[in-house]
Amino acid sequence: MTLRPSSDGAQAAHPVAHPAVEVEGLHFTYPDGTASLRGMSLSVQPGEKVALVGPNGAGKSTLLLTLNGILRAQRGAVRVFGQTLDDSTVRAIRAQVGLLFSNPDDQLFSPTVFEDVAFGPLHMGLPRDEVLARSREALAAVGMLEFAERPPHRLSLGQKKRVAIATVLSMGTPILALDEPSANLDPMSRRELIALLARLPLTILVATHDLALVADILPRSVLLAEGSVVADAPTMHVLNDSALLGAHGLEPLSAHGHPHA
Amino acid sequence: MMSITQAAIQVTSDGPGMHIPDGFVSAPVAAAGWVAMVGILAVAVRVTNRELNEKAVPLMGVMAAFIFAAQMMNFPVAGGTSGHMLGGALAAILLGPWAAMIVMTAVVGFKSVLFQDGGIAALGLNVLNMGMLTALVGYASYRTAEPLLRGNRTALLASVSVAAWISVEVAAVSTSLQLAVSGSSPLDVVLPAMVGVHALIGVGEGLITAAALGFIMTTRADLLPQRRPASSSTGRG
Amino acid sequence: MTAFAAVVERYAARESVLHRADARAKVPAVFLTVLAVTSTREGDWLALALLVIPVVVGAYASKLGPWFVLRRTFLALPFVLAVLPLAFTRPGETVLTLPVVGWTASDDGLTAVATILARSWIAVAITALLVSTTTVVEILRALRTFRVPRLLVATIFFAYRYFFVIGEEAVRMLRARDSRSASIPGHRAGGTLRWRARVAGYMVGSLFVRSLDRSERVYAAMQARGYAGEPQFLDHAPLPVRQGVGAALVVAYAVAVQVGTRLA
């Protein structure tokens, strides 16, 4: 596993320790009037692995989409390594925050696996040799190198998810934001995915309902409800607070077997 | 029961009977079809690039896939036969004529390469007939009727039906002319035959197109071009 | 891999010269050869016979065999019906009279029909060799080298990718409809034609809504990876000279047949 954040990233440019991601008083309302974020604030340090949990509609996915400017908040600020997201920085920030969409069929839009993994580095304007090297490296990291020439419609869901992760890894973003990475996977594919995420030496935010995954690899949990942060604490504290979980539509994990501490 | 195989055969088989195979038209006619197609496409690409800019590729690509899939939406007619749509008129009403022509070129081209439904030397003619004429004629007929109806929904959908029907008939006429000019079929035989058969096929086209548009008007009117803002929002996360 | 893709794709995986050949050589070779075949004159049986040779050679060289190629070369029935009248309308010496209706077929007419069917069959067989030995992705990549506008190439790539996604969606909708299309003995089932067409139309409408939403999500996924409206492609290694020469030889043969038989 040799993948690392790109050396020309903001980390190097900002020697002062900035949080990797800083979200301040974020408000977002969809055009149809649904308010999704209502004053969301959150700070994530480089290297942290954070779970975003909460019921459907809590604002998890919306938050992820604001992190690299796919959605623009009406109020509040997003800062990535100290750089405030706006029109002039959005392209640079997209090279810092990689987004994994919940449905790999939305994420994998190229005719072959390799071309999809190469899409990010190619559109970042990297030279051809580096595009090829990064794409191979990323595919090797998720164990999908041998499927490079396959069209995505000839992959299983678990394989698609791994390739989708590779499409982000190849960009060399220091921050990875994942939306429901383990949803709908069979137990075996889910295991492989969790092991892969645990290995990645990146700052990771995961929006998920999979509390067992959270307990396994994400030491910090942020509980969201109705567009703001309800709890932000070490995962074990959040997951053991059945009253808190119950109040927000989540089932305590102990019902299926206690997570290892 | 509709099986996957049947659904696939549906898209792979020559439903409306208009994909000209190679050999049935003469080489000069086929070549002229290519020249015309390339010329029109060049304009369509320029216009679409300007109008849709960044969104052009994902929108038109997914829409071509949609038209493909829409052609699978068959309905039983009688005696084991089934009807389905060509989609040129619908694509033009939903996306505008230029984007629709690109979308339909992708669809017709794919059918030719993927399923050998229509020849490759004859591809220019097939794209012209089924992709470009249907889009242009369907759109023009619809746009002519629309302002006269003053927002009357039933009348609007009826005019959409007629527009779709006309688009299929025009494509049939054009196909007949190409066969006749090639010397492959006498005009006085092929023209009435094609126009007659497609008068019936066009009814299916009209009914499906109107119903599809009616569904969209009822459930997601915001998606229709007249009411769609220049840059609509990203889908809900 | 999805069952839908398995039914739809025509590529036949084998290990052969034709499979290994570069699509950038195969696509123009097939296109030009087909054009040459299309220009065969009526009644030029020698030319037609000579043009069958590449098909037979190709069938063996591709390891697909003649039967495989034959199975892929059924002719489109509506067009066969469209040319048949020529036999009866072309003036010439009567060689056949249909019983009952009394139509007369001329020798020139029959020659014309036979020529059209033969050259169409050869052209279809040549195309079948291409699509059975070349994956769609290879064919699409070849488009890039022929100066097709990027917008168009990228659109076609997306169409190919999402055809399988949306096609599967369509199959699921059809199944959901059919599983509810029951009938009770003694009752007339299925509704009117208009009603059935309308149900199909509603499915098309709902498929459109889903597809448009999907295109928005795909656009977001592209933006997230640095897309700014200008599609970029990985450039590929130049075409090996031998491949280009091979393709040119095939085309030259077809052209030589046409020219030779006209001069002879």
Side-chain angles (χ1 to χ4, degrees), chain A residues 70 91 94 101 105-112 115-116 119-120 122-123 128 149 152-154 167 171, chain C residues 1 5 9 137 141 144 158 160-162 164 214 217 220-226 228 230 232-233 235:
Chain A
I70 299 298
R91 300 292 311 273
R94 282 177 187 159
F101 289 74
D105 279 332
D106 297 341
Q107 179 128 14
L108 304 178
F109 42 70
S110 306
T112 64
E115 270 159 300
D116 218 300
F119 185 94
L122 199 58
H123 285 78
R128 181 174 192 269
E149 283 306 309
H153 64 260
R154 289 179 177 266
T167 66
M171 295 173 70
Chain C
M1 181 185 109
E9 291 194 293
V137 174
R141 277 189 195 145
R144 269 186 240 158
F158 273 74
Y160 171 67
R161 168 69 185 103
Y162 284 100
F164 293 99
R214 185 180 294 278
R217 296 197 302 272
M222 294 171 77
Q223 278 182 302
R225 286 199 270 152
E230 187 62 23
Q232 310 284 329
F233 300 112
D235 41 333

Side-chain angles (χ1 to χ4, degrees), chain A residues 17-110:
Chain A
H18 282 293
V21 175
E22 208 179 355
V23 167
E24 218 178 83
L26 223 50
H27 283 264
F28 183 85
T29 305
Y30 280 98
D32 66 358
T34 320
S36 188
L37 302 181
R38 310 174 195 212
M40 174 94 62
S41 294
L42 181 68
S43 173
V44 177
Q45 296 306 315
E48 263 196 294
K49 298 197 176 195
V50 182
L52 303 171
V53 294
N56 292 335
K60 304 186 297 288
S61 301
T62 310
L63 175 63
L64 294 185
L65 290 170
T66 57
L67 290 184
N68 71 358
I70 299 298
L71 295 181
R72 297 294 184 83
Q74 283 92 2
R75 267 196 289 149
V78 173
R79 279 187 288 276
V80 175
F81 292 115
Q83 197 173 26
T84 304
L85 191 147
D86 57 34
D87 282 341
S88 65
T89 57
V90 63
R91 300 292 311 273
I93 282 178
R94 282 177 187 159
Q96 303 293 322
V97 184
L99 217 52
L100 185 82
F101 289 74
S102 55
N103 184 347
D105 279 332
D106 297 341
Q107 179 128 14
L108 304 178
F109 42 70
S110 306

Side-chain angles (χ1 to χ4, degrees), chain A residues 153-154, chain B residues 4, chain C residues 1-10 164 168:
Chain A
H153 64 260
R154 289 179 177 266
Chain B
I4 293 177
Chain C
M1 181 185 109
T2 62
F4 184 68
V7 176
V8 164
E9 291 194 293
R10 293 286 167 97
F164 293 99
E168 288 269 355

